[in-house]
Amino acid sequence: MADCIFCKIASGEINSKVVYEDEDTLAFLDLNPQAPTHVLIIPRRHIDRLSTAADSDAELLGKLQLAAVKIAKRLNVESGFRLVTNNGKAAGQAVDHIHYHLLAGRKMLWPPG
Ligand code: AMP
Ligand code: ZN
């Protein structure tokens, strides 16, 4: 997607602080962290949001979640972290390239605001 900021991060056109990458996945620090650890995990391939993913994306979506576990271990937060995706504007999605927020390092409230 030509004007997608996360596609530009995935291609290296826009800089980010990468904490994990593999052939399908990239994870980088959120610019505006909401917790001591706040990482965004994206597929390199553009998908707008979870609700626009296809059955054929199942393996990729699974890889994103398993990447989160690797990142949590790498950042020493595997004992307690939150993995969130905001699906659609009403849920707070600002960037239309599917991403999971990995949040950790503070007490997480429930229900989330
Ligand atoms: P969401 O509101 O779920 O779409 O989350 C978008 C997230 O992307 C927000 O937490 C922003 O702080 C973050 N963000 C936007 N631009 C960048 C960027 N260039 N590098 C890192 N994080 C970004
Ligand atoms: Zn994109």
Side-chain angles (χ1 to χ4, degrees):
M1 288 274 285
D3 57 356
C4 170
I5 188 169
F6 285 179
C7 281
K8 287 180 179 168
I9 286 176
S11 71
E13 193 181 328
I14 292 178
N15 284 334
S16 66
K17 292 189 176 155
V18 173
V19 297
Y20 174 85
E21 60 183 321
D22 60 36
E23 63 174 342
D24 303 307
T25 310
L26 185 72
F28 50 94
L29 299 182
D30 195 295
L31 264 188
N32 183 22
Q34 301 301 311
T37 297
H38 189 171
V39 174
L40 298 175
I41 305 165
I42 67 169
R44 292 185 184 278
R45 178 162 63 76
H46 184 96
I47 298 171
D48 280 350
R49 58 186 54 81
L50 188 55
S51 61
T52 64
D55 285 350
S56 55
D57 295 321
E59 188 177 349
L60 181 60
L61 295 172
K63 283 182 175 176
L64 293 176
Q65 293 195 44
L66 294 173
V69 177
K70 291 176 191 159
I71 294 160
K73 285 182 177 157
R74 190 172 286 182
L75 300 180
N76 290 314
V77 296
E78 73 267 34
S79 63
F81 63 89
R82 183 171 285 173
L83 195 62
V84 180
T85 190
N86 296 327
N87 187 91
K89 273 196 173 42
Q93 184 176 9
V95 178
D96 284 341
H97 179 132
I98 190 172
H99 51 280
Y100 286 94
H101 297 256
L102 190 163
L103 297 146
R106 65 166 168 81
K107 183 162 171 47
M108 296 292 157
L109 303 176
W110 194 262

